[in-house]
Amino acid sequence: MSDNPFNNTISSSFNEPSPSPSTQLREGAEEVLSKATSSLKYCTLSIEETESNLQTNSKTGISSFEDAIQRRNIYGPNEIVQEDDEPIWKKFLMNFIEDPLILLLFGSAILSFLMGNIDDAISITMAILIVVTVGFVQEYRSEKSLEALNKLVPNECHLIRAGQSSNVLASQLVPGDLVHFKIGDRIPADLRIVEAIDLTIDESNLTGENEPVHKYPNAIDKNSYSDQAASFIPMSDRTCIAYMGTLVREGHGKGIVVGIAKDTSFGAVFEMMSTIEKPKTPLQLSMDKLGKDLSFFSFIIIGIICLIGIIQGRSWLEMFQISVSLAVAAIPEGLPVIVTVTLALGVLRMARRKAIVKRLPSVETLGSVNVICSDKTGTLTSNHMTVSKIWCLGSMSNKSNILSLETNKNGNFKNYLTEDLKQTLTVANLCNNSSFSHEHGKYLGNPTDIALLEQLSKFDLTDNRHSFTKIVEIPFNSKRKFMATLLEDPNSKNKKVYVKGAFEKVLSFADTFISKTGKIEKLTDDYRSIIIDCAENLASEGLRVLAFAKSDVPNDVNDIKENSIPSLSFAGLIAMNDPPRQTVKPAIEELQQGGVHIIMITGDSENTAVNIARQIGIPVYNPELSVVSGDKLDAMTDDQLANIIDHVNIFARATPEHKLNIVRALRKRGDIVAMTGDGVNDAPALKLADIGVAMGKMGTDVAKEASDMVLTDDDFSTILTAIEEGKGIFNNIQNFITFQLSTSIAALSLIALSTALKLPNPLNAMQILWINILMDGPPAQSLGVEPVDHEVMRKPPRNRSDKILTTEVLKRLLMTASCIIFGTVYVFVKEMTEDGQVTARDTTMTFTCFVFFDMFNALACRHASKSILKIGFFTNKMFNYAVGLSLLGQMCAIYVPFFQRIFKTESLGLNDLLLLLIISSSVLIADELRKAWLKRKSIDDPMYYSNV
């Protein structure tokens, strides 16, 4: 995944059928991309000319780190940053103009001023400033939180500088740097390709063409174009250029950086993309709809209140001000913003727990996941491969006679080095793409390759790859299940093919084997059975088993094909141990208790998969029913798979295509599926799954691009924490919606009731606006960051079709609103009847009572079913600060003379405050009784409580 936030947008823009962004891009593509002169210039230059122009080397890169620093000072970082031309003060002022309700309030203030009500005009103006400021701060915080999400997964690349290999952030690249890339990587800058091994690159996010493009090191001959055409060679014809942001689909290669940041084809497209507005998320759209529906009903009620008040002979200006204030307070225009802030802060919290959620709507989906399909290697296991055992047919023909390297992990095994064992280790060495990094002091690359190279020293062997010339390589992938290289010895000119892979696959190519003395002997059926038995025995111990073989080929052979591998001589088996992560077993137990079905999908054999599954707690009661191999899966239709998948926990010898079938079958049943993956071919399944989960360390950029979530530690238990956070965030959204809507309903009902009963208005316009600040401000926001209750995992996954405003939520907010209404009306009527008229004291008591009700209501809304005594009063610091500041503001409103004039209040005595606290606490007491009833109900019916 790139650290640029625009990759997803660009990719989707080209592939979407909708006319807006994609049409704009396609129509202007030629003009925009013509600005990307670096790739156009260097695609016609030879490798030597490119080296000369950029003062670099196609083998070792830039000559020194000091030179790289100087270039970075000249060219700047390799980052594309969206420039925000609009100053913050302008954004703030736009909030006054864009909201029609705020304009109405301004009109009310002007009318008050013209009619001589200077105090009212000043008060309303001050209230407008406070309301707009609170809303602006929330939106600004949301934007900054979303910007922070885009930097959570920095884009790394494999750099060769001054002859040393290292993994660095793509932002560190400068023109002239040498970059190595392999299958699954995202190209970090515009590169002039200098080496290409079976290289194809997906450029669909730039060109819109889905077919990957084959790349070669050869320069483009501009003489083959007309003079006019040569000035703009089409992007698809620049086959020696790898473009920034594109994805390596097959093979690997090296390239010299010729363009960075905005001086790339991607950067040119980005400049145009920055003018296209991002669409809202589904959750934001649903909140918008909820807000519009509530606004519609609120406007009807407010209109009726205003009309009745005027008919009753009340001042039309007073009713106008109250109606507009009610509209501002009752209409939850801040709801989508608070939802976005809550989601964004939750995502940042997940990031601290090693789960990067790329798309905000995915947070909502996490709470509904009821099936997790997980890779074994690196996710359920530690992905730290170590060679455990070695077996060769020639020297260890007895399948129980296996060389174990675990007996003496740091010892020397040179004395065991028979010729067939030596050849096995030689194949493991030469059929290998890991490289040693002097900067990191270790090998970098695939964990399997690293483990094989690390064993050489135990037999006094050294990495011998520099002594051979690689002619052709067939890279390993999960469908092919083997890797092959054709190498030439520069001294003897002899050529050999070296192959490693799944033992079934390698054996299918072999018809001979290497004996203990190095002699080539015929591989009979009996010998083949011994090899298979030994491999299966090793796999049953939970080890990953690879077979190794080699073959001489004629000197005139310069190519090998996947479907025409020459007859091989089997050398031996190497079994590697990848122990389960310690955190996985308890995570699986907790997920299963919460009703989540765990399915392990692996390319390893059935025996290996079953052994690991039993170690980590995945139930395998009957392997005949619980385990399905890739061969069986091939013979099944989607309907057949959907029928049996309920009791299947393991898919062995599975390919990425099988993953796609599994996800399709699960979704056909109505399951909400999370799928993990790390390879290029995993991308379709990750995209099809409801939640695609990519690995942050070992995952390819293609997988990260297709996923919704990235695990930065590649640990399965992180999925548990992510689902837990997802459920918790959704609960928090429900809680603050309950708080907001109950307050909104109470405020509307209070004014409507007093108007209908021909009572004076209990709250004036300024007091209603202050209540709006409390409803949309810090107290509501603090409910969105309530710490996640770990017991949320005991509840079954939420049905994705469930509405946010469930029946239980509606009952709860109506009960809460009723408490606030009756309590506030009681105080108002009691105070008014004591002196027979409405005084400043009466409205102050009513106003303060409502605010106290609001604070107790917020306290009650911290959890839907658990008592405040159980969750604790001080577990949410932000809530405590928010409520504390709100109460301080209320004290200022009734005791500070300046604010007394604005809110038309007067000082209250200590007894008054105590009385109001006792009355307003009734909303908390009522909610606590409701929670106690729920708890009692759960004893009789556990499923009732779990679904509330």
Side-chain angles (χ1 to χ4, degrees):
M1 174 182 167
S2 170
D3 56 339
N4 293 316
F6 314 98
N7 293 340
N8 297 336
T9 310
I10 290 176
S11 179
S12 63
S13 297
F14 275 111
N15 294 322
E16 286 175 1
S18 58
S20 46
S22 57
T23 302
Q24 292 178 47
L25 284 172
R26 289 178 189 274
E27 288 176 353
E30 187 171 343
E31 178 186 350
V32 170
L33 294 174
S34 65
K35 298 176 185 177
T37 56
S38 294
S39 62
L40 180 61
K41 172 185 175 182
Y42 284 98
C43 74
T44 60
L45 299 183
S46 67
I47 294 174
E48 292 75 18
E49 289 171 325
T50 302
E51 289 176 317
S52 175
N53 278 15
L54 294 171
Q55 298 179 4
T56 186
N57 185 282
S58 60
K59 301 292 183 186
T60 59
I62 294 173
S63 59
S64 68
F65 291 92
E66 291 76 15
D67 183 12
I69 293 172
Q70 289 178 359
R71 296 187 192 207
R72 182 174 170 80
N73 291 335
I74 295 170
Y75 295 104
N78 180 31
E79 294 178 333
I80 302 178
V81 181
Q82 186 173 20
E83 296 178 2
D84 193 352
D85 297 327
E86 201 171 67
I88 192 169
W89 62 266
K90 189 175 180 181
K91 288 182 179 180
F92 179 69
L93 291 179
M94 288 301 292
N95 278 269
F96 291 93
I97 301 170
E98 292 175 347
D99 190 340
L101 293 176
I102 297 298
L103 292 176
L104 281 173
L105 278 176
F106 261 127
S108 174
I110 293 169
L111 281 174
S112 297
F113 181 79
L114 294 175
M115 296 178 69
N117 299 330
I118 308 298
D119 287 347
D120 283 352
I122 294 173
S123 299
I124 294 170
T125 304
M126 288 288 294
I128 292 170
L129 286 172
I130 295 171
V131 169
V132 171
T133 301
V134 169
F136 174 74
V137 168
Q138 285 178 339
E139 287 194 31
Y140 184 75
R141 186 178 184 186
S142 175
E143 288 177 9
K144 290 301 175 185
S145 298
L146 292 173
E147 285 176 16
L149 300 183
N150 296 318
K151 300 177 182 178
L152 291 174
V153 183
N155 187 27
E156 289 192 344
C157 62
H158 313 291
L159 173 67
I160 301 171
R161 189 179 282 173
Q164 297 184 21
S165 298
S166 61
N167 289 342
V168 301
L169 293 178
S171 59
Q172 302 296 314
L173 292 179
V174 296
D177 268 331
L178 181 63
V179 175
H180 174 256
F181 46 86
K182 62 184 185 301
I183 182 171
D185 284 350
R186 181 180 294 283
I187 302 297
D190 276 7
L191 308 176
R192 170 63 171 88
I193 296 171
V194 298
E195 179 184 309
I197 308 295
D198 194 24
L199 180 63
T200 59
I201 295 180
D202 180 359
E203 297 178 349
S204 59
N205 57 355
L206 280 177
T207 65
E209 298 296 331
N210 291 322
E211 194 67 29
V213 181
H214 286 272
K215 296 289 183 176
Y216 310 95
N218 305 329
I220 304 302
D221 182 9
K222 60 181 176 183
N223 295 325
S224 61
Y225 294 84
S226 64
D227 292 339
Q228 185 176 359
S231 63
F232 182 71
I233 298 171
M235 287 186 63
S236 57
D237 288 357
R238 302 176 203 173
T239 53
C240 62
I241 298 293
Y243 300 106
M244 180 184 193
T246 57
L247 297 163
V248 182
R249 285 292 185 187
E250 290 289 342
H252 57 86
K254 293 178 183 176
I256 295 173
V257 176
V258 296
I260 63 171
K262 292 187 177 180
D263 188 30
T264 62
S265 300
F266 181 85
V269 174
F270 168 80
E271 286 188 353
M272 185 159 60
M273 276 302 302
S274 61
T275 64
I276 298 174
E277 188 176 349
K278 282 187 177 182
K280 289 187 176 183
T281 67
L283 189 59
Q284 283 176 308
L285 291 173
S286 65
M287 288 295 100
D288 282 342
K289 185 178 184 306
L290 176 62
K292 286 176 183 176
D293 292 343
L294 292 171
S295 300
F296 175 74
F297 290 113
S298 298
F299 267 124
I300 292 175
I301 295 170
I302 291 166
I304 293 170
I305 291 171
C306 183
L307 186 63
I308 292 174
I310 293 172
I311 291 172
Q312 290 176 347
R314 304 189 190 198
S315 165
W316 67 268
L317 180 60
E318 177 195 1
M319 293 309 301
F320 176 74
Q321 288 177 348
I322 285 179
S323 297
V324 174
S325 300
L326 268 178
V328 173
I331 298 169
E333 70 282 343
L335 200 56
V337 176
I338 295 181
V339 168
T340 303
V341 173
T342 300
L343 289 174
L345 292 177
V347 168
L348 291 172
R349 195 163 59 243
M350 286 185 193
R352 290 193 289 271
R353 301 179 73 177
K354 311 297 184 184
I356 310 298
V357 177
K358 291 168 53 185
R359 302 178 180 95
L360 288 185
S362 303
V363 176
E364 182 188 10
T365 309
L366 277 167
S368 303
V369 169
N370 67 327
V371 179
I372 298 176
C373 298
S374 177
D375 272 336
K376 177 184 75 70
T377 305
T379 310
L380 300 175
T381 59
S382 62
N383 203 29
H384 181 70
M385 292 283 187
T386 55
V387 173
S388 177
K389 296 179 180 181
I390 304 178
W391 181 87
C392 299
L393 178 61
S395 56
M396 310 169 193
S397 55
N398 184 344
K399 60 186 179 185
S400 63
N401 187 17
I402 298 173
L403 178 61
S404 175
L405 305 187
E406 294 179 327
T407 54
N408 188 2
K409 292 186 178 181
N410 298 317
N412 189 292
F413 294 87
K414 182 181 179 181
N415 294 334
Y416 298 94
L417 195 62
T418 54
E419 191 60 32
D420 53 353
L421 178 54
K422 182 178 180 181
Q423 291 300 322
T424 300
L425 293 170
T426 299
V427 177
N429 176 202
L430 298 178
C431 202
N432 198 304
N433 280 325
S434 288
S435 59
F436 188 79
S437 170
H438 293 280
E439 180 182 348
H440 296 85
K442 62 180 182 180
Y443 284 103
L444 299 177
N446 183 282
T448 300
D449 284 352
I450 293 171
L452 294 172
L453 291 179
E454 288 175 343
Q455 304 312 305
L456 297 178
S457 59
K458 295 182 179 180
F459 296 88
D460 284 356
L461 298 176
T462 58
D463 186 353
N464 206 28
R465 286 176 292 175
H466 63 277
S467 302
F468 294 84
T469 301
K470 184 185 290 187
I471 300 172
V472 178
E473 175 186 316
I474 299 176
F476 178 90
N477 65 35
S478 53
K479 183 177 181 180
R480 193 177 288 131
K481 290 190 172 68
F482 74 91
M483 172 186 176
T485 56
L486 173 61
L487 303 183
E488 180 184 58
D489 186 334
N491 297 320
S492 65
K493 299 300 180 182
N494 291 333
K495 294 178 181 177
K496 289 182 173 64
V497 173
Y498 298 90
V499 179
K500 73 174 181 187
F503 65 86
E504 311 99 310
K505 197 73 177 179
V506 174
L507 279 177
S508 69
F509 299 134
D511 56 12
T512 58
F513 72 95
I514 301 171
S515 70
K516 181 177 181 179
T517 59
K519 183 181 176 181
I520 304 300
E521 297 186 13
K522 182 175 176 58
L523 186 64
T524 64
D525 290 341
D526 289 340
Y527 283 143
R528 196 180 294 272
S529 297
I530 292 172
I531 295 171
I532 293 172
D533 286 347
C534 184
E536 290 179 347
N537 287 339
L538 290 169
S540 66
E541 298 176 25
L543 303 176
R544 185 181 186 191
V545 183
L546 291 180
F548 300 82
K550 57 177 285 191
S551 177
D552 294 327
V553 295
N555 290 344
D556 60 349
V557 173
N558 292 309
D559 196 10
I560 52 173
K561 300 293 184 183
E562 179 180 346
N563 55 0
S564 59
I565 297 294
S567 296
L568 301 177
S569 295
F570 174 80
L573 301 173
I574 294 181
M576 284 167 281
N577 185 31
D578 185 15
R581 294 177 184 266
Q582 293 183 349
T583 55
V584 168
K585 188 172 183 178
I588 286 177
E589 288 176 354
E590 195 164 347
L591 284 165
Q592 289 175 338
Q593 287 175 4
V596 180
H597 180 197
I598 310 297
I599 298 175
M600 182 171 77
I601 305 175
T602 177
D604 288 334
S605 66
E606 292 183 38
N607 289 338
T608 303
V610 169
N611 184 283
I612 294 294
R614 284 174 171 157
Q615 289 183 52
I616 60 178
I618 294 178
V620 188
Y621 305 116
N622 183 353
E624 290 294 323
L625 297 175
S626 301
V627 184
V628 174
S629 67
D631 293 338
K632 292 180 183 176
L633 200 54
D634 286 331
M636 290 183 184
T637 64
D638 284 352
D639 289 335
Q640 288 173 329
L641 181 57
N643 290 333
I644 69 158
I645 205 167
D646 194 39
H647 53 73
V648 175
N649 296 324
I650 298 172
F651 288 94
R653 289 297 190 216
T655 66
E657 287 77 10
H658 292 147
K659 283 188 176 183
L660 196 61
N661 294 337
I662 293 165
V663 173
R664 192 182 292 115
L666 287 166
R667 295 197 66 186
K668 195 170 186 176
R669 286 162 35 91
D671 293 314
I672 309 300
V673 188
M675 166 68 76
T676 72
D678 55 12
V680 174
N681 292 331
D682 291 334
L686 291 173
K687 200 164 187 179
L688 181 63
D690 298 282
I691 294 288
V693 183
M695 302 300 109
K697 291 180 179 178
M698 297 307 300
T700 59
D701 286 329
V702 180
K704 294 175 188 175
E705 177 74 13
S707 67
D708 304 287
M709 186 167 73
V710 179
L711 306 183
T712 59
D713 57 358
D714 292 9
D715 190 344
F716 178 86
S717 63
T718 306
I719 299 176
L720 170 67
T721 64
I723 292 176
E724 185 179 80
E725 285 282 357
K727 285 186 174 183
I729 287 171
F730 186 82
N731 287 348
N732 288 346
I733 290 174
Q734 280 191 322
N735 289 338
F736 72 65
I737 286 176
T738 302
F739 168 71
Q740 280 194 309
L741 295 187
S742 59
T743 301
S744 177
I745 290 170
L748 271 176
S749 302
L750 189 64
I751 303 298
L753 200 60
S754 61
T755 304
L757 297 176
K758 296 184 179 182
L759 297 173
N761 286 321
L763 301 172
N764 60 43
M766 286 306 303
Q767 292 166 353
I768 294 171
L769 289 174
W770 172 246
I771 289 168
N772 173 64
I773 292 169
L774 297 182
M775 185 182 75
D776 278 342
Q781 182 67 72
S782 65
L783 291 173
V785 294
E786 185 70 28
V788 175
D789 181 8
H790 296 297
E791 291 185 13
V792 76
M793 287 307 299
R794 295 182 183 177
K795 295 184 180 181
R798 184 177 58 86
N799 192 322
R800 189 167 51 179
S801 62
D802 287 350
K803 295 179 180 179
I804 293 177
L805 286 178
T806 63
T807 304
E808 291 300 324
V809 171
L810 286 171
K811 287 179 182 177
R812 184 185 179 196
L813 69 87
L814 289 174
M815 181 199 75
T816 302
S818 300
C819 286
I820 298 173
I821 294 165
F822 289 125
T824 309
V825 168
Y826 167 76
V827 169
F828 179 59
V829 172
K830 174 180 175 296
E831 293 297 319
M832 186 177 62
T833 53
E834 286 182 0
D835 48 21
Q837 59 181 345
V838 178
T839 63
R841 170 185 164 78
D842 300 340
T843 56
T844 303
M845 287 286 285
T846 308
F847 173 41
T848 306
C849 181
F850 197 102
V851 170
F852 282 1
F853 261 121
D854 232 19
M855 296 301 100
F856 278 112
N857 184 23
L859 188 62
C861 287
R862 284 184 57 192
H863 201 285
S865 56
K866 192 175 286 188
S867 169
I868 187 64
L869 299 174
K870 192 168 184 180
I871 64 174
F873 286 93
F874 305 105
T875 51
N876 186 343
K877 290 182 180 179
M878 184 176 172
F879 178 85
N880 295 332
Y881 292 141
V883 171
L885 289 172
S886 298
L887 291 174
L888 181 62
Q890 183 63 22
M891 293 304 103
C892 290
I894 58 180
Y895 291 113
V896 176
F898 173 74
F899 291 110
Q900 284 178 336
R901 288 194 296 274
I902 292 176
F903 290 101
K904 294 183 174 60
T905 58
E906 66 178 39
S907 300
L908 299 176
L910 182 60
N911 290 336
D912 294 329
L913 293 178
L914 288 174
L915 174 65
L916 294 178
L917 284 171
I918 292 170
I919 293 172
S920 57
S921 65
S922 61
V923 70
L924 176 62
I925 295 168
D927 199 63
E928 288 292 298
L929 292 173
R930 180 190 67 85
K931 291 171 182 175
W933 180 81
L934 283 178
K935 188 174 181 180
R936 179 57 185 242
K937 185 80 174 174
S938 70
I939 296 173
D940 302 327
D941 181 8
M943 288 304 297
Y944 179 87
Y945 182 71
S946 67
N947 287 308
V948 173

